[in-house]
Amino acid sequence: MDNKPEMAGFVMAGGKSSRLGRDKALLKIQDKTLLQRMIELINPFCETVSISGQNAQYEVFGAEMIPDLHPGCGPISGLYSCLRSSAKEWNLFMSVDVPFVNHELITLLISNISNQNCIVPQHQGGIEPLIGLYNKRAIPAIEKMIEAGEYKLMNLLSTQNTDFIDCNSLIKNYPRLFMNINRIEDFRSI
């Protein structure tokens, strides 16, 4: 893309990777870590790309790291912390552990921007809240949820003006589009 939209990008890499037993962001596929692959994937769409998470090993990627403002609350804290740090209204979020997400999906999500607060993919297998576009207008609702001890992103999406983008036709072309790596078996299957 020649003209980058007014958007910031964030790779969600702050998870504990407890089921995998090691930091999944640093796993390599074809000599590139998952984190490097995601940074390169979203960079053409965003004016800036940052990492949600804080690990000294991520410094080699040259992206700003955004620490959780509310540690221990799961992905909603990373989302909140990144939105608070962002200078842009619209923000692209991408989980680090979905190696088959592609430009076509991101383009589809961006093409649906209008007056919503959230734009996320939906398919027969479910909804993907950690792959999507979030507007800063969602910050007050996220703050209230965290204060109330409610950390489920699906609950956030149900209270916001959210567009759920049907991605079933994309999955026909890319069957592993939303495959994520949670266990070592998932990684070995690639």
Side-chain angles (χ1 to χ4, degrees), residues 139-150:
I139 290 174
I142 300 171
E143 284 176 341
K144 286 179 185 173
M145 287 179 66
I146 292 173
E147 287 169 10
E150 177 55 60

Side-chain angles (χ1 to χ4, degrees), residues 1-12:
M1 295 177 69
D2 292 334
N3 295 325
K4 293 183 183 181
E6 292 281 323
M7 184 177 304
F10 298 93
V11 179
M12 302 292 280

Side-chain angles (χ1 to χ4, degrees), residues 8 15 46 73 83-84 92 103 105 116 119 121 123 134 136 163 166 171-172 181 186:
C46 305
C73 298
L83 286 174
R84 288 289 307 264
L92 172 62
H103 283 86
L105 171 65
Q116 332 75 329
I119 303 171
H123 51 92
Y134 289 83
K136 286 178 72 92
D163 265 0
D166 184 336
I171 291 175
K172 287 179 185 172
I181 297 172
D186 301 329

Side-chain angles (χ1 to χ4, degrees), residues 2-178:
D2 292 334
N3 295 325
K4 293 183 183 181
E6 292 281 323
M7 184 177 304
F10 298 93
V11 179
M12 302 292 280
K16 296 177 184 174
S17 301
S18 53
R19 286 179 280 177
L20 188 68
R22 57 182 160 166
D23 189 342
K24 64 177 81 173
L26 300 174
L27 292 174
K28 286 190 174 183
I29 298 175
Q30 298 174 350
D31 296 325
K32 286 187 183 179
T33 64
L34 291 179
L35 182 54
Q36 182 180 356
R37 292 169 65 89
M38 283 303 149
I39 290 170
E40 291 174 3
L41 175 69
I42 69 173
N43 186 56
F45 297 96
C46 305
E47 289 187 11
T48 61
V49 175
S50 303
I51 301 167
S52 173
Q54 210 165 19
N55 178 335
Q57 292 177 288
Y58 298 169
E59 291 176 6
V60 298
F61 301 105
E64 179 184 7
M65 287 183 276
I66 311 295
D68 278 1
L69 295 173
H70 299 280
C73 298
I76 198 166
S77 178
L79 179 69
Y80 173 74
S81 304
C82 292
L83 286 174
R84 288 289 307 264
S85 75
S86 179
K88 303 298 175 188
E89 285 298 309
W90 278 106
N91 301 274
L92 172 62
F93 285 84
M94 186 65 59
S95 180
V96 75
D97 64 354
V98 284
F100 300 108
V101 166
N102 59 33
H103 283 86
E104 201 171 329
L105 171 65
I106 297 170
T107 300
L108 175 63
L109 296 175
I110 291 172
S111 72
N112 282 279
I113 289 176
S114 62
N115 63 351
Q116 332 75 329
N117 289 354
C118 313
I119 303 171
V120 295
Q122 180 175 8
H123 51 92
Q124 286 180 333
I127 294 169
E128 303 290 341
L130 291 179
I131 300 168
L133 302 172
Y134 289 83
N135 192 287
K136 286 178 72 92
R137 290 186 298 264
I139 290 174
I142 300 171
E143 284 176 341
K144 286 179 185 173
M145 287 179 66
I146 292 173
E147 287 169 10
E150 177 55 60
Y151 307 138
K152 294 181 180 176
L153 285 174
M154 293 304 295
N155 291 351
L156 170 70
L157 297 176
S158 69
T159 66
Q160 296 298 294
N161 177 7
T162 301
D163 265 0
F164 296 97
I165 306 303
D166 184 336
C167 294
N168 288 306
S169 60
L170 274 179
I171 291 175
K172 287 179 185 172
N173 295 330
Y174 310 102
R176 300 199 300 175
L177 183 65
F178 295 110

